[in-house]
Short mmCIF file of all heavy atoms in Angstrom, two decimals:
data_model
loop_
_atom_site.label_atom_id
_atom_site.label_comp_id
_atom_site.label_asym_id
_atom_site.label_seq_id
_atom_site.Cartn_x
_atom_site.Cartn_y
_atom_site.Cartn_z
N GLY A 82 51.79 27.15 216.55
CA GLY A 82 53.22 27.33 216.82
C GLY A 82 53.56 27.21 218.30
O GLY A 82 54.59 26.64 218.67
N ALA A 83 52.71 27.72 219.16
CA ALA A 83 52.98 27.70 220.60
C ALA A 83 53.03 26.28 221.16
O ALA A 83 53.75 26.02 222.13
CB ALA A 83 51.93 28.52 221.34
N TYR A 84 52.29 25.36 220.55
CA TYR A 84 52.31 23.97 221.05
C TYR A 84 53.62 23.25 220.76
O TYR A 84 53.85 22.15 221.25
CB TYR A 84 51.13 23.18 220.49
CG TYR A 84 49.90 23.30 221.37
CD1 TYR A 84 48.89 24.19 221.04
CD2 TYR A 84 49.78 22.57 222.54
CE1 TYR A 84 47.77 24.32 221.85
CE2 TYR A 84 48.67 22.69 223.36
CZ TYR A 84 47.67 23.57 223.00
OH TYR A 84 46.57 23.70 223.82
N TYR A 85 54.51 23.85 219.98
CA TYR A 85 55.83 23.25 219.73
C TYR A 85 56.89 23.79 220.67
O TYR A 85 58.05 23.40 220.57
CB TYR A 85 56.24 23.49 218.26
CG TYR A 85 55.41 22.68 217.30
CD1 TYR A 85 54.34 23.25 216.62
CD2 TYR A 85 55.68 21.33 217.11
CE1 TYR A 85 53.57 22.49 215.75
CE2 TYR A 85 54.91 20.57 216.24
CZ TYR A 85 53.86 21.16 215.57
OH TYR A 85 53.09 20.40 214.72
N ILE A 86 56.51 24.64 221.58
CA ILE A 86 57.46 25.21 222.55
C ILE A 86 57.33 24.42 223.85
O ILE A 86 56.25 24.40 224.46
CB ILE A 86 57.20 26.71 222.78
CG1 ILE A 86 57.35 27.47 221.46
CG2 ILE A 86 58.13 27.26 223.85
CD1 ILE A 86 56.91 28.92 221.53
N PRO A 87 58.42 23.76 224.29
CA PRO A 87 58.35 22.96 225.52
C PRO A 87 57.88 23.81 226.71
O PRO A 87 58.18 24.99 226.81
CB PRO A 87 59.81 22.50 225.72
CG PRO A 87 60.40 22.55 224.35
CD PRO A 87 59.73 23.70 223.66
N LEU A 88 57.17 23.19 227.59
CA LEU A 88 56.56 23.77 228.79
C LEU A 88 55.39 24.69 228.46
O LEU A 88 54.40 24.69 229.18
CB LEU A 88 57.58 24.50 229.67
CG LEU A 88 58.72 23.64 230.20
CD1 LEU A 88 59.70 24.49 231.00
CD2 LEU A 88 58.19 22.51 231.06
N LEU A 89 55.49 25.46 227.39
CA LEU A 89 54.37 26.32 227.00
C LEU A 89 53.18 25.47 226.56
O LEU A 89 52.03 25.85 226.78
CB LEU A 89 54.80 27.28 225.88
CG LEU A 89 53.77 28.31 225.43
CD1 LEU A 89 53.32 29.18 226.61
CD2 LEU A 89 54.35 29.18 224.33
N ASP A 90 53.47 24.29 225.99
CA ASP A 90 52.38 23.42 225.56
C ASP A 90 51.52 22.98 226.75
O ASP A 90 50.30 22.95 226.66
CB ASP A 90 52.90 22.22 224.77
CG ASP A 90 53.95 21.40 225.52
OD1 ASP A 90 54.42 21.82 226.58
OD2 ASP A 90 54.31 20.32 225.00
N HIS A 91 52.14 22.69 227.88
CA HIS A 91 51.37 22.30 229.08
C HIS A 91 50.61 23.49 229.66
O HIS A 91 49.48 23.35 230.11
CB HIS A 91 52.29 21.70 230.14
CG HIS A 91 52.85 20.37 229.74
ND1 HIS A 91 52.09 19.23 229.65
CD2 HIS A 91 54.10 20.01 229.37
CE1 HIS A 91 52.84 18.22 229.26
NE2 HIS A 91 54.07 18.68 229.08
N LEU A 92 51.23 24.65 229.64
CA LEU A 92 50.56 25.85 230.11
C LEU A 92 49.34 26.15 229.24
O LEU A 92 48.27 26.51 229.74
CB LEU A 92 51.52 27.04 230.10
CG LEU A 92 50.95 28.37 230.56
CD1 LEU A 92 50.49 28.30 232.01
CD2 LEU A 92 51.99 29.47 230.40
N LEU A 93 49.49 25.99 227.94
CA LEU A 93 48.37 26.21 227.02
C LEU A 93 47.22 25.25 227.29
O LEU A 93 46.06 25.62 227.16
CB LEU A 93 48.82 26.08 225.57
CG LEU A 93 49.54 27.28 224.98
CD1 LEU A 93 50.06 26.95 223.60
CD2 LEU A 93 48.63 28.48 224.93
N ASP A 94 47.53 24.01 227.66
CA ASP A 94 46.47 23.05 227.96
C ASP A 94 45.59 23.51 229.11
O ASP A 94 44.39 23.26 229.12
CB ASP A 94 47.05 21.67 228.26
CG ASP A 94 47.36 20.88 227.00
OD1 ASP A 94 46.75 21.17 225.95
OD2 ASP A 94 48.20 19.97 227.07
N THR A 95 46.18 24.17 230.11
CA THR A 95 45.37 24.64 231.24
C THR A 95 44.42 25.76 230.82
O THR A 95 43.31 25.86 231.31
CB THR A 95 46.25 25.12 232.42
OG1 THR A 95 47.04 26.22 231.98
CG2 THR A 95 47.13 24.02 232.94
N VAL A 96 44.87 26.60 229.91
CA VAL A 96 44.03 27.70 229.41
C VAL A 96 43.09 27.20 228.32
O VAL A 96 41.96 27.69 228.19
CB VAL A 96 44.92 28.83 228.86
CG1 VAL A 96 44.10 29.94 228.24
CG2 VAL A 96 45.82 29.38 229.95
N ALA A 97 43.52 26.22 227.55
CA ALA A 97 42.76 25.75 226.40
C ALA A 97 41.47 25.04 226.79
O ALA A 97 40.49 25.12 226.05
CB ALA A 97 43.62 24.84 225.53
N THR A 98 41.45 24.36 227.92
CA THR A 98 40.26 23.60 228.27
C THR A 98 39.03 24.49 228.44
O THR A 98 38.02 24.27 227.77
CB THR A 98 40.51 22.72 229.51
OG1 THR A 98 41.60 21.83 229.22
CG2 THR A 98 39.29 21.91 229.87
N PRO A 99 39.06 25.50 229.30
CA PRO A 99 37.86 26.34 229.40
C PRO A 99 37.58 27.12 228.11
O PRO A 99 36.42 27.35 227.77
CB PRO A 99 38.15 27.28 230.57
CG PRO A 99 39.60 27.21 230.81
CD PRO A 99 40.07 25.90 230.28
N THR A 100 38.63 27.49 227.40
CA THR A 100 38.44 28.21 226.14
C THR A 100 37.80 27.31 225.09
O THR A 100 36.90 27.75 224.35
CB THR A 100 39.78 28.77 225.63
OG1 THR A 100 40.39 29.53 226.67
CG2 THR A 100 39.59 29.65 224.42
N ALA A 101 38.23 26.06 225.01
CA ALA A 101 37.64 25.11 224.06
C ALA A 101 36.17 24.88 224.38
O ALA A 101 35.33 24.81 223.46
CB ALA A 101 38.40 23.79 224.08
N ILE A 102 35.84 24.80 225.65
CA ILE A 102 34.44 24.62 226.04
C ILE A 102 33.61 25.83 225.60
O ILE A 102 32.52 25.68 225.04
CB ILE A 102 34.32 24.39 227.56
CG1 ILE A 102 34.93 23.03 227.92
CG2 ILE A 102 32.87 24.49 228.03
CD1 ILE A 102 35.12 22.81 229.41
N ALA A 103 34.13 27.04 225.84
CA ALA A 103 33.39 28.25 225.46
C ALA A 103 33.22 28.36 223.95
O ALA A 103 32.12 28.63 223.46
CB ALA A 103 34.11 29.48 226.01
N ILE A 104 34.29 28.13 223.21
CA ILE A 104 34.21 28.26 221.76
C ILE A 104 33.39 27.11 221.16
O ILE A 104 32.62 27.31 220.23
CB ILE A 104 35.61 28.37 221.13
CG1 ILE A 104 36.24 29.71 221.56
CG2 ILE A 104 35.56 28.26 219.61
CD1 ILE A 104 37.61 29.98 221.04
N GLY A 105 33.53 25.92 221.72
CA GLY A 105 32.71 24.79 221.27
C GLY A 105 31.22 25.07 221.47
O GLY A 105 30.39 24.74 220.62
N THR A 106 30.89 25.70 222.58
CA THR A 106 29.50 26.08 222.85
C THR A 106 29.01 27.10 221.82
O THR A 106 27.93 26.96 221.25
CB THR A 106 29.37 26.66 224.28
OG1 THR A 106 29.77 25.66 225.23
CG2 THR A 106 27.95 27.10 224.58
N ALA A 107 29.83 28.12 221.57
CA ALA A 107 29.44 29.16 220.61
C ALA A 107 29.31 28.60 219.19
O ALA A 107 28.38 28.97 218.46
CB ALA A 107 30.45 30.30 220.64
N ILE A 108 30.21 27.72 218.81
CA ILE A 108 30.15 27.14 217.47
C ILE A 108 28.88 26.32 217.29
O ILE A 108 28.18 26.45 216.28
CB ILE A 108 31.41 26.29 217.17
CG1 ILE A 108 32.60 27.20 216.88
CG2 ILE A 108 31.17 25.35 216.00
CD1 ILE A 108 33.90 26.48 216.68
N THR A 109 28.56 25.50 218.26
CA THR A 109 27.33 24.71 218.16
C THR A 109 26.11 25.62 218.11
O THR A 109 25.19 25.38 217.33
CB THR A 109 27.24 23.71 219.32
OG1 THR A 109 28.37 22.82 219.26
CG2 THR A 109 25.97 22.87 219.23
N ALA A 110 26.11 26.69 218.91
CA ALA A 110 24.99 27.62 218.90
C ALA A 110 24.82 28.28 217.53
O ALA A 110 23.70 28.60 217.12
CB ALA A 110 25.18 28.68 219.98
N ALA A 111 25.93 28.45 216.82
CA ALA A 111 25.86 29.08 215.50
C ALA A 111 25.11 28.23 214.48
O ALA A 111 24.66 28.75 213.47
CB ALA A 111 27.27 29.35 214.98
N PHE A 112 24.94 26.95 214.77
CA PHE A 112 24.26 26.07 213.83
C PHE A 112 22.89 25.61 214.31
O PHE A 112 22.21 24.86 213.61
CB PHE A 112 25.14 24.85 213.53
CG PHE A 112 26.36 25.21 212.76
CD1 PHE A 112 27.57 25.42 213.42
CD2 PHE A 112 26.31 25.39 211.40
CE1 PHE A 112 28.70 25.79 212.72
CE2 PHE A 112 27.44 25.76 210.69
CZ PHE A 112 28.63 25.96 211.35
N LEU A 113 22.50 26.03 215.48
CA LEU A 113 21.19 25.65 215.99
C LEU A 113 20.14 26.63 215.48
O LEU A 113 20.42 27.81 215.28
CB LEU A 113 21.20 25.65 217.53
CG LEU A 113 22.10 24.59 218.17
CD1 LEU A 113 22.11 24.75 219.69
CD2 LEU A 113 21.64 23.19 217.80
N PRO A 114 18.94 26.13 215.27
CA PRO A 114 17.89 27.03 214.78
C PRO A 114 17.55 28.09 215.83
O PRO A 114 17.77 27.90 217.02
CB PRO A 114 16.70 26.09 214.52
CG PRO A 114 16.99 24.86 215.30
CD PRO A 114 18.47 24.77 215.46
N ASP A 115 17.02 29.20 215.35
CA ASP A 115 16.63 30.27 216.26
C ASP A 115 15.34 29.88 216.98
O ASP A 115 14.23 30.03 216.45
CB ASP A 115 16.44 31.58 215.49
CG ASP A 115 17.75 32.15 215.03
OD1 ASP A 115 18.77 31.95 215.73
OD2 ASP A 115 17.78 32.79 213.97
N THR A 116 15.52 29.31 218.15
CA THR A 116 14.39 28.91 218.98
C THR A 116 14.51 29.61 220.32
O THR A 116 15.16 30.64 220.42
CB THR A 116 14.38 27.38 219.18
OG1 THR A 116 15.61 26.99 219.82
CG2 THR A 116 14.24 26.64 217.88
N ASP A 117 13.95 29.02 221.32
CA ASP A 117 14.06 29.55 222.66
C ASP A 117 15.54 29.65 223.05
O ASP A 117 16.27 28.65 222.97
CB ASP A 117 13.32 28.61 223.63
CG ASP A 117 13.45 29.02 225.08
OD1 ASP A 117 13.43 30.23 225.35
OD2 ASP A 117 13.59 28.12 225.93
N PRO A 118 16.02 30.83 223.44
CA PRO A 118 17.45 31.00 223.76
C PRO A 118 17.94 30.06 224.88
O PRO A 118 19.07 29.58 224.82
CB PRO A 118 17.56 32.46 224.20
CG PRO A 118 16.39 33.14 223.59
CD PRO A 118 15.30 32.10 223.52
N LEU A 119 17.09 29.79 225.85
CA LEU A 119 17.50 28.89 226.94
C LEU A 119 17.76 27.49 226.38
O LEU A 119 18.79 26.88 226.69
CB LEU A 119 16.43 28.84 228.03
CG LEU A 119 16.72 27.89 229.19
CD1 LEU A 119 17.98 28.32 229.93
CD2 LEU A 119 15.55 27.81 230.14
N LEU A 120 16.87 27.01 225.53
CA LEU A 120 17.05 25.69 224.92
C LEU A 120 18.28 25.67 224.02
O LEU A 120 19.10 24.75 224.08
CB LEU A 120 15.80 25.32 224.12
CG LEU A 120 15.88 24.00 223.34
CD1 LEU A 120 16.03 22.83 224.29
CD2 LEU A 120 14.66 23.84 222.46
N LYS A 121 18.42 26.71 223.20
CA LYS A 121 19.54 26.79 222.26
C LYS A 121 20.89 26.76 222.99
O LYS A 121 21.77 25.97 222.66
CB LYS A 121 19.42 28.07 221.44
CG LYS A 121 20.55 28.29 220.46
CD LYS A 121 20.32 29.55 219.65
CE LYS A 121 21.37 29.72 218.59
NZ LYS A 121 21.03 30.77 217.63
N TRP A 122 21.05 27.60 223.99
CA TRP A 122 22.35 27.70 224.65
C TRP A 122 22.60 26.53 225.60
O TRP A 122 23.75 26.14 225.81
CB TRP A 122 22.49 29.05 225.35
CG TRP A 122 22.71 30.12 224.34
CD1 TRP A 122 21.79 30.99 223.83
CD2 TRP A 122 23.94 30.40 223.65
NE1 TRP A 122 22.36 31.80 222.88
CE2 TRP A 122 23.68 31.46 222.75
CE3 TRP A 122 25.22 29.86 223.71
CZ2 TRP A 122 24.66 31.99 221.92
CZ3 TRP A 122 26.19 30.40 222.87
CH2 TRP A 122 25.91 31.44 222.00
N THR A 123 21.54 25.94 226.15
CA THR A 123 21.72 24.75 226.99
C THR A 123 22.20 23.59 226.13
O THR A 123 23.15 22.89 226.50
CB THR A 123 20.41 24.39 227.71
OG1 THR A 123 20.00 25.49 228.52
CG2 THR A 123 20.58 23.16 228.57
N LEU A 124 21.54 23.39 225.00
CA LEU A 124 21.96 22.33 224.09
C LEU A 124 23.38 22.57 223.57
O LEU A 124 24.19 21.65 223.50
CB LEU A 124 20.98 22.22 222.91
CG LEU A 124 21.28 21.14 221.88
CD1 LEU A 124 21.29 19.75 222.50
CD2 LEU A 124 20.26 21.19 220.75
N ALA A 125 23.67 23.82 223.24
CA ALA A 125 25.01 24.16 222.75
C ALA A 125 26.08 23.89 223.81
O ALA A 125 27.15 23.37 223.50
CB ALA A 125 25.06 25.62 222.31
N ALA A 126 25.78 24.23 225.06
CA ALA A 126 26.75 24.02 226.15
C ALA A 126 26.97 22.53 226.40
O ALA A 126 28.11 22.08 226.58
CB ALA A 126 26.28 24.71 227.42
N ILE A 127 25.89 21.77 226.41
CA ILE A 127 26.02 20.34 226.70
C ILE A 127 26.68 19.60 225.54
O ILE A 127 27.66 18.88 225.73
CB ILE A 127 24.64 19.73 227.03
CG1 ILE A 127 24.13 20.28 228.36
CG2 ILE A 127 24.71 18.20 227.08
CD1 ILE A 127 22.68 19.95 228.65
N ALA A 128 26.13 19.79 224.34
CA ALA A 128 26.63 19.04 223.18
C ALA A 128 27.96 19.60 222.67
O ALA A 128 28.94 18.85 222.53
CB ALA A 128 25.60 19.04 222.05
N GLY A 129 28.01 20.89 222.41
CA GLY A 129 29.22 21.49 221.85
C GLY A 129 30.32 21.67 222.87
O GLY A 129 31.45 21.23 222.68
N GLY A 130 29.99 22.33 223.97
CA GLY A 130 30.99 22.57 225.01
C GLY A 130 31.47 21.29 225.65
O GLY A 130 32.66 21.12 225.93
N GLY A 131 30.54 20.36 225.87
CA GLY A 131 30.91 19.07 226.47
C GLY A 131 31.84 18.27 225.58
O GLY A 131 32.83 17.68 226.04
N THR A 132 31.54 18.25 224.28
CA THR A 132 32.39 17.53 223.33
C THR A 132 33.77 18.16 223.25
O THR A 132 34.79 17.46 223.30
CB THR A 132 31.73 17.49 221.94
OG1 THR A 132 30.45 16.90 222.06
CG2 THR A 132 32.57 16.71 220.96
N ALA A 133 33.81 19.48 223.11
CA ALA A 133 35.10 20.18 223.03
C ALA A 133 35.93 19.96 224.30
O ALA A 133 37.13 19.70 224.23
CB ALA A 133 34.89 21.66 222.78
N GLY A 134 35.28 20.08 225.44
CA GLY A 134 35.99 19.89 226.72
C GLY A 134 36.51 18.47 226.90
O GLY A 134 37.62 18.27 227.41
N THR A 135 35.71 17.50 226.49
CA THR A 135 36.14 16.10 226.60
C THR A 135 37.35 15.82 225.72
O THR A 135 38.35 15.24 226.17
CB THR A 135 34.99 15.15 226.24
OG1 THR A 135 33.88 15.41 227.11
CG2 THR A 135 35.41 13.69 226.38
N ILE A 136 37.28 16.25 224.47
CA ILE A 136 38.41 16.04 223.55
C ILE A 136 39.65 16.78 224.07
O ILE A 136 40.76 16.24 224.07
CB ILE A 136 38.07 16.51 222.12
CG1 ILE A 136 36.93 15.70 221.53
CG2 ILE A 136 39.30 16.48 221.21
CD1 ILE A 136 37.28 14.32 221.06
#
Side-chain angles (χ1 to χ4, degrees):
Y84 271 99
Y85 289 100
I86 300 172
L88 299 177
L89 184 57
D90 56 351
H91 291 290
L92 179 62
L93 280 174
D94 277 337
T95 61
V96 176
T98 301
T100 307
I102 292 169
I104 293 180
T106 300
I108 284 176
T109 300
F112 292 97
L113 294 176
D115 289 328
T116 59
D117 176 39
L119 178 62
L120 176 64
K121 178 178 185 168
W122 286 99
T123 301
L124 180 60
I127 292 169
T132 303
T135 302
I136 298 283

